[in-house]
């Protein structure tokens, strides 16, 4: 059985500028790239032919440098901007086909959003900010109040409801942004660089807290970041963007271990592969002794190291009864050496 | 055509602007007299209502009420200021004139706000609307204020009601301009956030855009109030009664006593009126977390009432979310 994915974008194009139709035709035909489009048509290509699917319950990261089109992509999901070409489906429904009321309902009930620059309303108290999604849905005042307090509790800001945004630190404000997105209990969270403005320690805390919350509450999350480390920590899968295009999509392991383009390779260069590498990538094709400890091909390196620490001479890698290969201590050392040489 | 006409063309070439203006007004008055008559009716009702109240009630009551209003809407200091300003107006012998001026002023500012806010909001929503309204505002704001008087006399006649109309007309442009400007310069990401949570355009306007635009809109309202007061002297030329007339008579008869009385009266009235109108724009946060009716005299009364009833010492919180 295939379930409809919460978010699905297909061949999405967004071109800013008056002559976007011409620029689109030229770009789709492969005649112009981002630079040429600007020169010839005065148009900025924000997103170029992006396709991706976010599966239920996963954290899907979009990673790219500044200006690569990440915010533009995420804004399409709740139709804050409209595509020049392509489709966006939320829970199987084409968002471009929704009328104004349906769109408002989807935004209010299905999707919560956290913004790159927080965008808390300065004239509203923290509680009013958090409860706004419910206020829009006309839910009764006491329900709003308790939902806001509950959401604030979850992000560790219980009791701060009566303050105003400018009375909170940046980290606290970003938590409020998170609480606001979650207060109406949406199924999908859109997070546009939620932690970029924070210093590293607070950022790490919030990342951990968010992962915990999103797992507990079973949210589907589209998470944007320009920081590869963050993408690797947060994402079940990662899409890497460059100049509006998605150049590679995959799990953190596959991105680090098997970059498909030079661009991605240069990106992941600074990341150690040791955390992601598994037995299959280390083993060699030599015979194994019958008493060697047995591991599956997807066993991660740390587990293999434990076996060596307990005195094994070499390990047998087997898939069921078939021997796939063998890992000796020298193979592990060679792997570490080549990883060190990469960086 | 000889050389002298080329060098001085205006000695023979004329654009009959004066005649055109004349014809236009004549055409308006002869065809639309009833329309303009009808427009006066609601203004007259509003003005009479306010004026009857202000002039009919005992002076002491008015002074106290205005003082209490200042306290209620802003704070105790403003209440005291309003109390002493109104007392002074009475002591210098400008009471009756001040009550008339206050009625004209209140009516004019009410009308200007009722027209200016919606037009300003519409202008901020539509570039076409703004492209149409903007040159009209430019025109209204550069035409010397005296110029308004002639068409107003021809269309509406003389007296207090035409006075309210001309004052409102003169005082509305800055409110439209600043409402439009304020709404257009609301931070875009804050509006986008409202959209992202599914707010309707109406909800967005009242829950997010207007509150964020409030300080600039209040500056527009302040301009409206000040222009209305500035107009009071000019409007007295079309026989509008009040403090302005004292000044006008003072000027024409070189009667320093009257001019000074009228002038001081206008300044005091301006202060009181402006502080109180600005007070309506204060937020809950400006009021230390209290809503308008949780503070000042009403707040105290409510606190007193609820202590005697339920032995609570804090006024009940009405609207937190
Ligand atoms: N409203 C707009 N009008 C014109 N061009 C735009 C607009 N919004 C974005 N762009 C362009 O689209 C491209 C992608 O912008 P976007 O904001 O999506 O980048 P980003 O990846 O989110 O960058 P950052 O990490 O700095 O937020 C940029 O070249 C930008 O100049
Ligand atoms: Mg961005």
């Amino acid at each position: 059985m295939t379930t409809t994915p919460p978010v699905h974008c297909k061949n999405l194009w967004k071109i800013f500028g008056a002559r976007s139709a011409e620029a689109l035709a030229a770009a789709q035909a492969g005649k112009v790239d981002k630079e040429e489009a600007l020169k010839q048509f005065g148009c900025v290509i924000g997103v170029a032919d992006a396709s991706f699917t976010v599966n239920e319950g996963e954290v899907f990261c979009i990673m790219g440098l500044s200006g690569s089109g990440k915010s533009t992509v995420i804004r399409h999901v709740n139709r804050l901007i409209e595509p020049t070409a392509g489709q966006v489906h939320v829970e199987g429904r084409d968002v471009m086909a929704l009328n104004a009321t349906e769109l408002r309902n989807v935004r209010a009930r299905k999707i919560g959003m956290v913004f790159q620059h927080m965008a808390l309303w300065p004239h509203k108290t923290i509680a009013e900010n958090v409860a706004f999604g419910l206020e829009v849905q006309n839910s009764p005042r006491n329900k709003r109040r308790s939902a806001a307090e509950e959401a604030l509790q979850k992000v560790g800001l219980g009791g701060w409801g009566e303050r105003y945004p400018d009375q909170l630190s940046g980290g606290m404000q970003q938590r409020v942004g998170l609480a606001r997105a979650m207060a109406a209990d949406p199924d999908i969270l859109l997070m546009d660089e939620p932690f970029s403005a924070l210093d590293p320690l607070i950022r790490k805390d919030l990342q951990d807290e968010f992962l915990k919350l999103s797992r507990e509450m079973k949210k589907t999350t589209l998470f944007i970041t320009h920081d590869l480390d963050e993408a690797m920590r947060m994402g079940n899968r990662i899409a890497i963007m460059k100049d509006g295009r998605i150049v590679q999509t995959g799990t953190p392991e596959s991105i680090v271990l098997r970059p498909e383009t030079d661009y991605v390779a240069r990106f992941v260069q600074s990341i150690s592969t040791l955390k992601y590498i598994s037995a299959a990538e280390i083993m060699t094709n030599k015979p194994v002794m019958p008493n060697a400890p047995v591991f599956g091909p997807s066993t991660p390196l740390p587990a293999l190291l434990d076996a060596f620490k307990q005195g094994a001479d070499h390990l047998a890698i087997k898939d069921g009864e078939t021997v796939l290969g063998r890992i000796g201590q020298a193979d592990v050392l060679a792997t570490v050496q080549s990883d060190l040489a990469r960086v | 055509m000889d050389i002298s006409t080329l060098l001085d063309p205006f000695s023979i070439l004329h654009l009959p602007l004066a005649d055109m203006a004349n014809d236009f007004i004549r055409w308006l008055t002869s065809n639309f007299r009833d329309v303009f008559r009808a427009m006066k009716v609601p203004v007259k009702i509003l003005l009479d209502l306010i004026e009857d109240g202000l002039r009919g009630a005992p002076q002491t009551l008015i002074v106290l009420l205005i003082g209490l209003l200042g306290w209620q809407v802003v704070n105790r200091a403003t209440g005291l200021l309003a109390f002493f300003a109104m007392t002074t107006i009475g002591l210098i012998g400008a009471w009756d004139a001040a009550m008339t001026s206050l009625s004209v002023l209140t009516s004019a500012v009410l009308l200007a706000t009722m027209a200016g806010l919606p037009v300003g909001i519409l202008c901020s929503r539509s570039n076409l609307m703004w492209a149409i309204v903007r040159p009209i505002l430019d025109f209204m704001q550069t035409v010397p204020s005296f110029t308004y008087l002639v068409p107003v006399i021809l269309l509406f006649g003389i007296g207090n009601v035409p006075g309210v109309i001309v004052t409102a007309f003169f005082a509305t442009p800055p409110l439209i301009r600043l409402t439009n400007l304020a709404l257009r310069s609301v931070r875009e990401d804050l509006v986008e956030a409202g959209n992202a949570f599914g707010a309707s355009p109406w909800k967005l306007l009242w829950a997010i855009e207007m509150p964020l635009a409030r300080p600039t809109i209040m500056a527009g309202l302040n301009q409206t109030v000040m222009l209305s007061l500035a107009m009071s002297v000019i409007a007295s030329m079309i026989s509008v009664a009040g403090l302005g007339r004292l000044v006008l008579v003072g000027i024409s008869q070189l009667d320093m006593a009257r001019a000074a009385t009228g002038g001081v009266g206008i300044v005091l009235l301006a202060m009181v009126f402006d502080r109180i109108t600005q007070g309506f724009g204060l937020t809950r946060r400006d009021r230390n977390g209290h809503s308008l009716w949780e503070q000042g005299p009403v707040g105290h009364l409510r606190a007193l009432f609820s202590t005697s009833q339920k032995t609570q010492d804090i006024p009940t919180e009405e609207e937190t979310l």
Side-chain angles (χ1 to χ4, degrees):
Chain A
M1 191 192 93
T2 53
T3 51
T4 47
V7 179
H8 175 62
C9 287
K10 206 171 144 212
N11 304 114
L12 190 67
W13 288 83
K14 179 65 189 183
I15 299 183
F16 296 101
R19 297 169 63 191
S20 60
E22 290 168 71
L24 175 70
Q28 278 179 329
K31 284 190 222 137
V32 295
D33 62 0
K34 187 162 175 164
E35 223 172 294
E36 274 296 305
L38 189 59
K39 241 191 259 161
Q40 281 186 26
F41 303 101
C43 288
V44 179
I45 299 186
V47 179
D49 205 19
S51 300
F52 63 91
T53 304
V54 186
N55 297 318
E56 193 160 342
E58 82 172 333
V59 177
F60 186 90
C61 278
I62 297 182
M63 210 252 357
L65 296 180
S66 185
S68 57
K70 309 179 296 289
S71 298
T72 311
V73 167
I74 207 171
R75 280 190 171 84
H76 280 94
V77 175
N78 54 357
R79 205 173 135 186
L80 289 174
I81 52 180
E82 304 196 338
T84 312
Q87 277 138 36
V88 181
H89 291 266
V90 170
E91 298 190 342
R93 298 180 74 186
D94 181 357
V95 294
M96 288 306 292
L98 302 174
N99 67 28
T101 319
E102 291 168 335
L103 179 62
R104 281 205 293 276
N105 275 328
V106 168
R107 284 172 173 172
R109 288 166 214 273
K110 291 246 173 286
I111 300 178
M113 192 163 185
V114 182
F115 296 86
Q116 190 165 359
H117 303 290
M118 303 182 203
L120 299 181
W121 298 294
H123 63 288
K124 289 179 175 290
T125 63
I126 299 302
E128 286 167 344
N129 264 281
V130 172
F132 186 74
L134 294 160
E135 189 185 330
V136 165
Q137 299 176 36
N138 292 323
S139 71
R141 180 166 299 148
N142 49 9
K143 196 181 148 209
R144 262 154 43 197
R145 199 188 303 224
S146 58
E149 185 53 34
E150 195 187 321
L152 283 170
Q153 294 277 2
K154 278 200 191 110
V155 298
L157 285 177
W160 286 82
E162 294 310 304
R163 308 291 176 96
Y164 286 87
D166 60 8
Q167 296 170 323
L168 270 59
S169 71
M172 291 161 92
Q173 289 183 32
Q174 202 51 276
R175 285 163 193 258
V176 176
L178 195 55
R180 179 173 69 175
M182 295 194 303
D185 198 23
D187 303 323
I188 301 168
L189 288 177
L190 304 179
M191 305 185 64
D192 190 355
E193 305 204 26
F195 306 139
S196 296
L198 309 176
D199 36 36
L201 273 180
I202 299 179
R203 185 196 296 198
K204 188 160 176 306
D205 283 351
L206 270 179
Q207 287 170 348
D208 292 339
E209 279 173 46
F210 173 71
L211 281 178
K212 203 170 121 247
L213 276 178
S214 102
R215 257 181 241 127
E216 259 169 33
M217 301 172 70
K218 299 197 173 52
K219 302 286 182 212
T220 302
T221 308
L222 182 55
F223 191 103
I224 301 247
T225 176
H226 63 243
D227 174 8
L228 185 64
D229 285 321
E230 186 168 69
M232 304 294 278
R233 281 170 61 81
M234 308 292 288
N236 298 104
R237 288 188 305 138
I238 299 173
I240 295 192
M241 281 189 86
K242 175 179 188 276
D243 291 347
R245 277 181 196 281
I246 293 182
V247 288
Q248 184 171 353
T249 307
T251 58
E253 293 82 356
S254 70
I255 299 254
V256 170
L257 298 178
R258 291 178 292 281
E260 284 167 14
T261 66
D262 287 350
Y263 182 76
V264 179
R266 260 192 296 133
F267 240 117
V268 298
Q269 213 173 38
S270 63
I271 301 256
S272 165
T273 55
L274 296 179
K275 236 163 78 190
Y276 303 101
I277 208 156
S278 56
E281 274 109 0
I282 307 173
M283 67 189 185
T284 50
N285 234 340
K286 284 181 209 153
V288 294
M289 303 290 281
N291 64 344
V294 176
F295 288 93
S298 60
T299 317
L301 182 59
L304 304 175
L305 290 178
D306 282 341
F308 283 117
K309 268 200 285 192
Q310 277 153 26
D313 169 67
H314 66 269
L315 316 174
I317 307 304
K318 283 189 183 175
D319 187 12
E321 280 309 301
T322 9
V323 177
L324 299 173
R326 152 202 158 118
I327 296 178
Q329 299 198 354
D331 299 322
V332 173
L333 291 179
T335 306
V336 173
Q337 201 168 31
S338 71
D339 184 69
L340 287 175
R342 242 166 49 94
V343 182
Chain B
M1 207 190 289
D2 60 38
I3 191 79
S4 70
T5 47
L6 269 182
L7 289 177
D8 299 315
F10 307 134
S11 56
I12 59 159
L13 295 175
H14 299 288
L15 179 70
L17 176 73
D19 293 340
M20 280 157 63
N22 230 340
D23 290 346
F24 178 65
I25 287 289
R26 200 162 295 150
W27 175 78
L28 271 185
T29 41
S30 54
N31 289 293
F32 294 97
R33 170 149 295 173
D34 293 339
V35 177
F36 290 108
R37 285 261 164 79
M39 279 167 65
K40 278 168 73 174
V41 175
V43 181
K44 184 167 164 46
I45 294 173
L46 178 68
L47 181 65
D48 284 350
L49 201 73
I50 298 173
E51 195 169 11
D52 288 351
L54 284 176
R55 302 185 62 133
Q59 295 167 351
T60 322
L61 184 66
I62 298 289
V63 172
L64 282 176
L65 277 181
I66 292 179
L68 285 174
L69 184 67
W71 181 14
Q72 181 66 48
V73 174
V74 194
N75 53 26
R76 204 176 302 227
T78 306
L80 282 175
L81 174 92
F83 178 84
F84 284 116
M86 295 316 290
T87 309
T88 311
I89 287 175
L91 290 176
I92 61 177
W95 184 262
D96 283 338
M99 287 306 105
T100 306
S101 283
L102 189 55
S103 336
V104 172
L105 187 64
T106 310
S107 316
V109 170
L110 271 178
L111 284 180
T113 311
M114 276 163 15
L117 269 188
V119 173
I121 291 172
L122 287 177
C123 287
S124 74
R125 307 287 103 168
S126 144
N127 286 333
L128 175 68
M129 177 90 176
W130 179 230
I132 296 169
V133 170
R134 191 178 175 177
I136 300 177
L137 294 185
D138 289 341
F139 178 79
M140 285 168 78
Q141 288 184 293
T142 38
V143 166
S145 42
F146 289 94
T147 319
Y148 286 116
L149 298 180
V150 181
V152 166
I153 295 173
L154 294 176
L155 298 175
F156 296 104
I158 58 171
N160 288 359
V161 175
V164 169
I165 292 173
V166 72
T167 305
F169 199 74
F170 181 66
T172 311
L175 186 58
I176 298 179
R177 218 177 254 283
L178 285 169
T179 302
N180 171 62
L181 174 73
L183 287 171
R184 280 175 187 265
S185 41
V186 168
R187 261 172 62 193
E188 215 171 306
D189 61 326
L190 297 181
V191 177
E192 187 177 54
N195 269 320
F197 284 94
S200 63
W202 186 253
K203 179 85 193 169
L204 211 55
L205 179 66
W206 292 106
I208 291 171
E209 298 180 89
M210 287 299 272
L212 290 171
R214 185 186 51 83
T216 310
I217 294 179
M218 289 316 287
L221 185 64
N222 164 268
Q223 299 251 302
T224 295
V225 170
M226 291 306 157
L227 283 179
S228 301
L229 278 151
M231 196 64 186
S232 66
V233 177
I234 296 162
S236 64
M237 290 177 179
I238 57 168
S239 165
V240 177
L243 295 168
R245 183 186 278 174
L246 288 183
V247 177
L248 187 73
V249 172
I251 295 169
S252 55
Q253 300 176 357
L254 285 182
D255 181 347
M256 191 56 204
R258 278 211 220 187
T261 308
V264 170
I266 289 178
V267 170
L268 291 172
L269 201 58
M271 255 164 46
V272 173
F273 199 88
D274 183 54
R275 295 289 155 83
I276 293 178
T277 42
Q278 290 296 310
F280 282 108
L282 293 177
T283 61
R284 191 185 185 89
R285 190 177 187 183
D286 297 327
R287 301 181 202 277
N288 295 319
H290 296 297
S291 74
L292 176 59
W293 298 112
E294 285 164 15
Q295 64 161 23
V298 175
H300 281 276
L301 274 180
R302 280 169 53 164
L304 209 71
F305 195 63
S306 58
T307 11
S308 59
Q309 284 227 314
K310 301 182 257 170
T311 49
Q312 269 183 354
D313 52 359
I314 304 160
T316 46
E317 228 183 356
E318 188 187 51
E319 209 187 9
T320 319
L321 287 179

